[in-house]
Amino acid sequence: MFAVYAREPNQDKPLDSLVVGERPEPEVPEGWVRVAVKAASLNMHDIWTLRGVGIKPDQFPMILGCDGAGVLDDGTEVALHSVINAPGWQGDETLDPKRTLLTEKLQGTFADFVVVPARNVLPKPAGLSFAEAATMGTAWLTAYRMLFVKSGLRPGETLLVQGASGGVSTALIQLGRAAGFRVWVTGRTEEKRALAERLGAHQTFESGARLSERVDAVFETVGKATWSHSVKSLKPGGIIVVSGATSGPDPSAELQRVFFLQLRVTGSTMGTRDELANLLSYVDLAGIRPQIGAELPFTDAAQGFRNMLDGETAGKIVFTR
């Protein structure tokens, strides 16, 4: 079958390992289902997989793609939940120490077909296209959990999103505005800040700029490059919710400011199946449509990877057939 896959890990030149070609069609174990993929979105996780982060060398070749949307063999249209749990796990899927994501141990969605446990497919809302539904399982679910499960914010409070144009950032802007928060955003360029404003940001700032007042919460996916600004931007007792560190994982902790102002830092990873079901229902009821910056055929996947690696994003990059 057609597939976009990583041939081998390549830390320094990840795109050199990207192959658009053919892979064997997957078998379907008992209790699993086969999904004919109609659309799948690109995530930073796919870049990390190409680099060999979070995956053992003997797992290659690995079909890329953490999430997507498609059709079951019986014609049911579905969106995918990407967190695969150990058999018998009970409770929050994200806390399972043996959990895995597609492309870590199991082949991903950038292919004609993907095979997942039956519980990992949810009905696609009729109001969402396959391309829109394909953004939900990773970036939008991450944003939903950060905002509604981890932050503790109430409508009317102010949040700051670090970074204006990535998949999680654009989801935070759209979800935050719809939920009644005051949404502030930082962006490196005028174009990225303008995008944030079109999506609903109440105010935008240059990266690292002093804010007009401190905020109740900061949402971090950037890491080292923005961490100091995030800590300095918080009100006493405020919270930073972290789900990524694309610029590096080791900033100065700013511990004096953290303890003196009683700041809180919490991590957030993906989300649960129930949270994804709630997210799908929410965007459908609220009429929210995810920001798709580029929709490309699977055969042009290399271009999408280059855009992400170069930071040329304006929302989600989605591959379709």
Side-chain angles (χ1 to χ4, degrees):
M1 66 176 181
F2 173 85
V4 179
Y5 63 95
R7 180 177 54 243
E8 60 190 3
N10 192 323
Q11 175 65 39
D12 298 324
K13 296 182 178 180
L15 297 190
D16 286 356
S17 292
L18 183 68
V19 180
V20 177
E22 297 285 326
R23 294 295 297 155
E25 190 169 321
E27 298 181 359
V28 186
E30 183 177 354
W32 292 50
V33 294
R34 185 178 75 160
V35 180
V37 179
K38 298 297 184 184
S41 62
L42 181 61
N43 293 282
M44 278 302 299
H45 192 277
D46 297 304
I47 301 292
W48 297 126
T49 301
L50 283 167
R51 293 188 187 279
V53 177
I55 178 173
K56 296 179 179 178
D58 61 5
Q59 297 291 135
F60 291 86
M62 174 60 70
I63 298 173
L64 299 165
C66 303
D67 54 12
V71 180
L72 299 180
D73 288 343
D74 66 4
T76 303
E77 296 182 350
V78 297
L80 296 177
H81 178 45
S82 304
V83 181
I84 313 294
N85 289 103
W89 173 260
Q90 300 292 319
D92 186 333
E93 295 104 284
T94 68
L95 300 179
D96 177 4
K98 294 184 179 180
R99 75 184 186 279
T100 186
L101 299 183
L102 293 176
T103 76
E104 291 178 346
K105 295 181 180 179
L106 300 171
Q107 302 293 321
T109 58
F110 293 177
D112 288 335
F113 299 101
V114 66
V115 170
V116 296
R119 76 175 304 274
N120 284 75
V121 297
L122 293 89
K124 179 184 77 66
L128 290 181
S129 69
F130 283 111
E132 291 167 340
T135 71
M136 294 286 120
T138 299
W140 274 70
L141 179 58
T142 297
Y144 182 91
R145 184 177 177 89
M146 292 175 79
L147 193 58
F148 298 119
V149 179
K150 291 290 189 173
S151 76
L153 285 177
R154 294 186 294 268
E157 293 186 312
T158 303
L159 64 90
L160 175 68
V161 179
Q162 292 283 20
S165 64
V168 175
S169 295
T170 54
L172 284 165
I173 295 165
Q174 293 184 260
L175 291 171
R177 178 67 186 239
F181 301 113
R182 183 164 61 156
V183 180
W184 290 358
V185 181
T186 64
R188 290 183 289 113
T189 67
E190 288 186 12
E191 291 78 12
K192 292 180 183 294
R193 295 191 293 274
L195 170 65
E197 291 173 3
R198 290 197 301 274
L199 294 177
H202 294 90
Q203 195 167 349
T204 59
F205 305 84
E206 293 182 10
S207 297
R210 184 182 181 89
L211 306 183
S212 51
E213 61 183 78
R214 292 180 178 176
V215 301
D216 298 287
V218 180
F219 292 83
E220 261 286 0
T221 61
V222 180
K224 187 174 183 177
T226 55
W227 185 260
S228 180
H229 183 257
S230 294
V231 174
K232 292 173 182 175
S233 297
L234 279 178
K235 293 178 180 177
I239 186 170
I240 301 176
V241 186
V242 187
S243 70
T246 56
S247 68
D250 55 351
S252 170
E254 307 263 357
L255 289 178
Q256 287 181 310
R257 190 177 293 270
V258 170
F259 72 72
F260 187 72
L261 296 178
Q262 301 183 72
L263 306 181
R264 294 165 291 147
V265 178
T266 188
S268 188
T269 296
M270 295 291 288
T272 68
R273 185 187 189 278
D274 287 345
E275 288 163 8
L276 179 56
N278 290 339
L279 167 63
L280 290 169
S281 178
Y282 178 46
V283 297
D284 194 38
L285 288 168
I288 302 169
R289 294 297 175 264
Q291 168 66 21
I292 296 177
E295 187 172 325
L296 303 169
F298 275 99
T299 50
D300 291 345
Q303 182 60 54
F305 275 85
R306 281 192 293 270
N307 290 349
M308 175 166 279
L309 199 59
D310 293 340
E312 297 296 327
T313 59
K316 291 299 292 179
I317 297 171
V318 180
F319 302 132
T320 59
R321 65 176 78 259

